[in-house]
Amino acid sequence: MTLKFIDIGANLTDPMFRGCYGGSRKHPDDFNTVLERAWQNGMQKIIVTSGCVSDVNQALELVSKDDRLFTTVGVHPTRCTEFLPDPESYYNELHSKIKANPQKVVAVGECGLDYDRQHFCPKETQLPYFEKQLSLAEECQLPLFLHSRNAHEDFMAILERNRDKLKACGGGVVHSFTGTLEEAKSLLAFGGLYIGINGCSLKTDENIEVVRQLPNDRIMLETDCPCFRLVKKKEKWTAETLIDGRCEPCQIGQVLEVIASIKQQPKEELAEQYYQNTLDLFFSKTK
């Protein structure tokens, strides 16, 4: 049985996929090779994560070249200061990008709250522009690709205050989840939300216990590449091998393997369920 995957969170606009690390070139541009590895390992679709207007522009250029690539449109909490010079103009630009690309934009996001990185953007700025993007999701009838770091109480308060908008847009997924079991239960009790699991979600004993208790019909898989890898790879780059320090979409199978081990359930059954979960949220309409 060939396992099928959809990576719900891949940062494919990152310069690492063009061979650049920390502003300097370390190896040739291997973006197409990275994609080919993913397709050869069961990947059916990839959703590219966007976190600001410039990301959106790059992502739309990328996804226009392959029918299996899609993107989100939104503003990461650490980038919400970009709204400030002209909030309405910035919002309208996001809106226009969505409306101009209905076959390629599958979610509003990455949006939410991140209180671990307020040195990039204070919470006083994050809060109103997270809420503003819920209106964007409602207007455009797109699900949400959500981010929450050390901000659960405020995050849930905003969702509760905008419950009608969440229902209208079809819900969403809280990606790269690293919260507590109680926080996970709170998200699931809200209704209409899924939880995205990647390598970062599997680092601690507490993380593992959370994943063990998550219902399978609420889980989606992601890599959040190139940010976090589960397995150390070769340090010297070659076109044929993975390189240490850069996660790739093809490694999504490793996330599945760990979850299957935690839950003591067949990976084939889990893969099928997680694939269907993702289709239900992001691809229920023909894309």
Side-chain angles (χ1 to χ4, degrees):
M1 178 182 179
T2 301
L3 302 183
K4 295 192 297 185
F5 300 101
I6 300 173
D7 190 345
I8 66 163
N11 299 290
L12 294 184
T13 60
D14 193 289
M16 285 189 190
F17 294 116
R18 302 296 180 176
C20 295
Y21 299 71
S24 63
R25 180 167 295 282
K26 301 298 184 183
H27 59 75
D29 181 333
D30 62 346
F31 180 79
N32 291 331
T33 302
V34 167
L35 285 185
E36 189 56 36
R37 263 197 289 270
W39 309 139
Q40 290 175 359
N41 283 275
M43 192 71 71
Q44 305 297 305
K45 305 176 193 289
I46 298 174
I47 302 174
V48 179
T49 306
S50 296
C52 64
V53 166
S54 63
D55 280 357
V56 171
N57 292 335
Q58 293 179 63
L60 286 171
E61 175 66 20
L62 285 182
V63 305
S64 69
K65 298 174 181 177
D66 195 306
D67 290 343
R68 297 163 290 186
L69 296 177
F70 303 86
T71 189
T72 68
V73 169
V75 184
H76 191 281
T78 61
R79 305 293 291 275
C80 281
T81 54
E82 294 193 17
F83 274 103
L84 294 180
D86 189 344
E88 285 309 307
S89 177
Y90 201 90
Y91 179 90
N92 290 337
E93 188 167 4
L94 295 171
H95 191 280
S96 67
K97 299 291 185 187
I98 293 171
K99 290 302 184 181
N101 298 278
Q103 301 304 313
K104 284 298 186 178
V105 180
V106 296
V108 168
E110 176 178 358
C111 60
L113 300 174
D114 191 323
Y115 290 176
D116 283 343
R117 291 183 279 179
Q118 291 190 62
H119 52 288
F120 291 119
C121 180
K123 72 175 186 178
E124 292 78 15
T125 303
Q126 294 184 34
L127 288 162
Y129 295 111
F130 171 33
E131 196 153 9
K132 184 73 170 173
Q133 291 180 82
L134 302 185
S135 298
L136 183 64
E138 180 186 34
E139 288 179 32
C140 296
Q141 292 292 284
L142 285 174
L144 287 149
F145 188 77
L146 296 162
H147 176 108
S148 180
R149 283 285 181 274
N150 196 25
H152 184 74
E153 185 175 342
D154 287 348
F155 183 82
M156 291 306 302
I158 287 175
L159 295 188
E160 287 288 356
R161 191 159 63 239
N162 293 275
R163 182 175 284 275
D164 289 348
K165 293 175 183 174
L166 268 289
K167 185 175 181 180
C169 77
V173 58
V174 181
H175 104 104
S176 191
F177 185 77
T178 59
T180 67
L181 181 58
E182 289 308 309
E183 289 170 353
K185 288 179 177 178
S186 173
L187 290 168
L188 296 176
F190 180 85
L193 296 176
Y194 294 84
I195 291 179
I197 301 298
N198 58 33
C200 198
S201 311
L202 301 166
K203 292 194 293 186
T204 69
D205 290 343
E206 183 180 22
N207 293 157
I208 289 169
E209 186 55 34
V210 170
V211 170
R212 191 192 320 279
Q213 296 198 40
L214 289 178
N216 288 327
D217 65 354
R218 294 287 106 187
I219 290 176
M220 293 184 186
L221 300 179
E222 57 178 303
T223 59
D224 203 25
C225 64
C227 299
F228 189 86
R229 75 245 184 242
L230 282 167
V231 180
K232 187 172 182 178
K233 293 296 178 182
K234 189 173 181 178
E235 292 186 10
K236 183 175 175 60
W237 179 88
T238 68
E240 297 77 23
T241 58
L242 303 180
I243 185 170
D244 190 39
R246 185 184 73 175
C247 176
E248 293 187 17
C250 70
Q251 293 175 269
I252 199 167
Q254 295 172 359
V255 180
L256 175 67
E257 293 272 3
V258 174
I259 296 174
S261 177
I262 291 168
K263 289 179 170 286
Q264 292 293 289
Q265 293 179 249
K267 66 181 180 181
E268 295 80 6
E269 293 179 10
L270 295 180
E272 186 174 358
Q273 176 70 69
Y274 302 157
Y275 184 78
Q276 188 60 51
N277 294 346
T278 309
L279 291 178
D280 290 346
L281 182 65
F282 295 118
F283 301 100
S284 58
K285 301 174 184 178
T286 302
K287 295 288 182 183

